[in-house]
């Protein structure tokens, strides 16, 4: 079988050679031409843009501890209620993943684990499936080195995603995927999509690049249309009987619930109580109507993080950060001031700090003329880190 790089045009081969040379210091033995071509194609064969994308991803992997993510203990609610599973392989050996997205209880999940945990478990599963795809490619060739995904939208409840924390979580996951896993999708089938799904998809499609969009096929609840399309690439033996294939689990279940997690409603009894009253890192105050709470932090060293976690009671609040160079006064970074629904779910995040800069953090209630806002918060500047930690935060 001809290698993927042998089919390139001369200018593409030159771009690949230049790209490999420019990122040689961060490459690992397993980073072959196929791997590098993913980044080049994602940046339209611009070696400089591909280098920036890859280096940003390397930093992201360090920050989230991706190379050791398999050792992270997944919270039990995610094991019990996060929908997904490996059904088998396509006709060329690529992993075929089924995601019964409709029954996913995003409200319940985000009341039992943090957005950071949701992102981390997604990374964990992506890494597992990509390792499997690589092993498959050793036997079947590079056509097995991508993923085929079936999203079943039956039972999809759009109201969940009108809740801002759920919508933001989905967008965070999409942005993470697009920035760090270019061109891993071989085909994507979205089936049983209700009319209202088009509204939601139009909101998130702007975060998807052209390559990803070209791989997505969306079908209504009409098996006569989506089943033949799926069977062109998936054998009946690798397709659940529930979807028209022949696969059942050892119990004869057509949904194969032994290895496909179908989700369901998360019991309120296991919702997090956010019991942090004994945590000395938290403070509590009331921001008067028309008022602000301001904080300043001086960062002197490389490797510091500015971390925040807060929630408000009953009402939202505006939150933002500005970073100024202490010598020039120039604004070098900014988290734009915006309203956050921290009364619905804890707001958690961090940024890597610039040395010799002053950070201004503000909770802003000036837009409210009628309501005081009670807030419980923790904002801190960490000590410089020699080793990247896995942080329970949103990237």
């Amino acid at each position: 079988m001809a290698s993927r790089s042998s089919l390139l045009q001369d200018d593409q081969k030159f771009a690949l050679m230049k790209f490999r040379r420019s990122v040689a210091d961060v490459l690992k033995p397993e980073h072959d031409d196929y791997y590098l071509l993913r980044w080049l194609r994602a940046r339209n064969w611009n070696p400089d843009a591909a280098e920036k994308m890859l280096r940003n991803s390397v930093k992201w992997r360090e920050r989230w501890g991706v190379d050791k993510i398999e050792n992270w203990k997944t919270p039990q609610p995610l094991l019990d209620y996060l929908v997904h599973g490996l059904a088998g392989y396509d006709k060329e050996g690529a992993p075929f993943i089924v995601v019964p997205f409709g029954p996913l209880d995003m409200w319940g999940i985000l009341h039992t684990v943090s957005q950071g945990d949701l992102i981390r478990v997604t990374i964990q599963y992506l890494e597992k499936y990509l390792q499997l795809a690589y092993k498959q490619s050793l036997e079947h060739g590079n056509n097995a080195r991508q993923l085929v995904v079936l999203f079943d939208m039956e039972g999809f409840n759009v109201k969940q995603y009108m809740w801002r924390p759920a919508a933001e979580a989905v967008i965070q996951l999409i942005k993470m995927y697009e920035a760090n896993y270019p061109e891993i999708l071989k085909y994507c089938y979205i089936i049983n999509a209700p009319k209202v799904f088009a509204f939601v998809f139009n909101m998130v499609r702007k975060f998807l690049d052209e390559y990803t969009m070209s791989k997505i096929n969306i079908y209504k609840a009409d098996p006569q249309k989506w089943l033949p399309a799926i069977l062109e690439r998936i054998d009946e033996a690798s397709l659940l009987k529930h979807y028209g294939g022949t696969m059942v689990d050892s119990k004869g279940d057509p949904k194969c619930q032994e290895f496909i997690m179908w989700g369901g409603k998360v019991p309120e009894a296991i919702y997090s109580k956010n019991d942090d009253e004994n945590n000395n890192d938290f403070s509590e105050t009331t921001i008067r109507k028309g008022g602000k709470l301001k904080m300043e932090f001086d960062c002197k060293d490389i490797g510091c993080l500015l971390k925040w976690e807060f929630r408000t009671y009953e009402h939202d609040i505006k939150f933002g950060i500005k970073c100024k160079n202490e010598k020039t006064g120039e604004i070098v970074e900014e988290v734009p001031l915006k309203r956050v629904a921290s009364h619905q779910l804890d707001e958690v995040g961090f940024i890597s700090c610039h040395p010799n800069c002053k950070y201004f953090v503000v909770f802003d209630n000036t837009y409210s003329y009628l309501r005081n806002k009670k807030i419980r918060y923790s904002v801190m500047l960490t000590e410089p880190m020699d080793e990247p930690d896995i942080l329970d935060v949103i990237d």
Side-chain angles (χ1 to χ4, degrees):
M1 178 181 292
S3 70
R4 201 177 187 188
S5 58
S6 65
L7 303 177
L8 302 178
Q9 302 295 324
D10 288 343
D11 58 336
Q12 294 173 338
K13 290 180 180 179
F14 178 76
L16 175 60
M17 179 180 66
K18 181 180 178 181
F19 180 41
R20 175 175 286 280
R21 187 166 57 240
S22 67
V23 296
D25 59 308
V26 297
L27 295 184
K28 297 180 179 180
E30 64 268 26
H31 291 162
D32 55 9
D33 284 353
Y34 183 98
Y35 173 84
L36 293 176
L37 287 170
R38 286 171 41 200
W39 304 88
L40 275 172
R41 288 190 170 96
R43 288 297 178 264
N44 297 316
W45 297 97
N46 184 325
D48 295 332
E51 178 184 359
K52 181 179 179 180
M53 184 183 185
L54 177 57
R55 289 189 181 278
N56 286 339
S57 185
V58 168
K59 292 178 182 178
W60 171 84
R61 293 180 69 89
E62 291 176 351
R63 201 157 58 236
W64 285 86
V66 176
D67 291 339
K68 297 180 180 179
I69 198 74
E70 64 181 16
N71 299 324
W72 175 65
K73 185 176 180 180
T74 309
Q76 194 63 40
L78 293 173
L79 293 174
D80 293 339
Y81 296 99
L82 188 65
V83 293
H84 79 104
L86 178 69
Y89 304 91
D90 78 351
K91 294 179 180 180
E92 295 180 312
F96 174 47
I97 302 157
V98 172
V99 182
F101 195 84
L104 178 63
D105 181 9
M106 186 67 83
W107 171 276
I109 284 177
L110 289 177
H111 277 81
T112 56
V113 301
S114 69
Q115 287 190 24
D117 282 340
L118 184 60
I119 290 173
R120 190 173 292 109
V121 75
T122 303
I123 298 170
Q124 191 179 59
Y125 287 134
L126 278 172
E127 291 292 317
K128 182 184 77 169
Y129 289 135
L130 285 175
Q131 289 176 15
L132 176 59
Y134 178 75
K135 291 179 181 178
Q136 287 290 107
S137 73
L138 299 179
E139 179 180 352
H140 299 279
N142 284 334
N143 287 336
R145 204 163 163 179
Q146 293 175 295
L147 307 178
V148 182
V149 185
L150 170 66
F151 281 94
D152 181 4
M153 305 306 296
E154 184 176 3
F156 176 73
N157 182 3
V158 71
K159 291 182 180 179
Q160 286 201 73
Y161 301 93
M162 296 300 99
W163 179 47
R164 180 182 287 182
E168 289 181 346
V170 171
I171 291 171
Q172 288 285 346
L173 289 170
I174 293 172
K175 291 169 69 175
M176 176 207 74
Y177 167 84
E178 287 291 323
N180 300 286
Y181 295 97
E183 299 213 10
I184 68 167
L185 185 65
K186 189 174 183 180
Y187 301 108
C188 176
Y189 304 96
I190 299 177
I191 66 172
N192 297 324
K195 289 183 179 180
V196 72
F197 175 73
F199 169 73
V200 177
F201 190 71
N202 282 334
M203 290 195 300
V204 302
R205 67 185 301 165
K206 64 182 179 181
F207 300 102
L208 300 172
D209 64 21
E210 291 182 7
Y211 173 87
T212 302
M213 286 296 302
S214 72
K215 299 297 180 179
I216 297 175
N217 300 278
I218 303 176
Y219 300 91
K220 298 178 182 178
D222 185 358
Q224 293 185 351
K225 291 187 177 180
W226 53 256
L227 182 57
I230 294 173
L231 291 177
E232 285 183 9
R233 299 187 175 99
I234 307 293
D235 286 325
E236 287 185 342
S238 291
L239 183 63
L240 275 60
K241 190 173 183 179
H242 177 74
Y243 295 125
T246 61
M247 175 181 282
V248 295
D249 62 19
S250 65
K251 298 178 181 179
D253 181 3
K255 288 188 173 182
C256 299
Q257 294 180 76
E258 285 185 345
F259 47 87
I260 304 294
M261 170 49 62
W262 282 77
K265 185 171 176 55
V266 179
E268 292 187 15
I270 66 172
Y271 282 11
S272 172
K273 300 299 187 299
N274 293 311
D275 185 12
D276 53 22
E277 276 71 16
N278 295 320
N279 190 335
N280 293 327
D281 291 337
F282 282 80
S283 300
E284 193 169 286
T285 190
T286 297
I287 304 175
R288 305 292 296 178
K289 55 190 177 183
K292 295 181 181 180
L293 172 63
K294 298 179 181 179
M295 287 169 279
E296 295 183 9
F297 298 88
D298 290 316
C299 178
K300 302 296 184 184
D301 302 306
I302 297 175
C304 297
L305 298 176
L306 182 64
K307 300 169 54 179
W308 63 87
E309 180 174 354
F310 63 90
R311 71 174 182 266
T312 48
Y313 298 88
E314 297 182 358
H315 305 288
D316 61 8
I317 195 75
K318 281 187 176 181
F319 175 76
I321 301 171
K322 285 186 179 181
C323 166
K324 290 185 179 181
N325 184 291
E326 288 191 313
K327 291 184 178 180
T328 65
E330 177 188 3
I331 296 177
V332 296
E333 186 174 9
E334 185 173 9
V335 176
L337 188 68
K338 68 174 184 178
R339 293 172 72 165
V340 294
S342 50
H343 60 306
Q344 296 177 330
L345 194 71
D346 287 12
E347 185 75 16
V348 184
F350 79 99
I351 53 175
S352 300
C353 295
H354 299 272
N356 301 314
C357 287
K358 186 182 291 287
Y359 284 79
F360 302 88
V361 180
V362 60
F363 295 95
D364 188 333
N365 194 33
T366 56
Y367 64 95
S368 179
Y369 296 100
L370 300 175
R371 296 187 179 96
N372 300 329
K373 306 291 176 65
K374 185 178 180 181
I375 181 171
R376 185 172 180 79
Y377 65 95
S378 172
V379 183
M380 65 178 66
L381 185 70
T382 69
E383 296 295 326
M385 292 194 305
D386 296 324
E387 296 291 336
D389 291 332
I390 299 177
L391 301 174
D392 184 19
V393 293
I394 304 170
D395 188 17

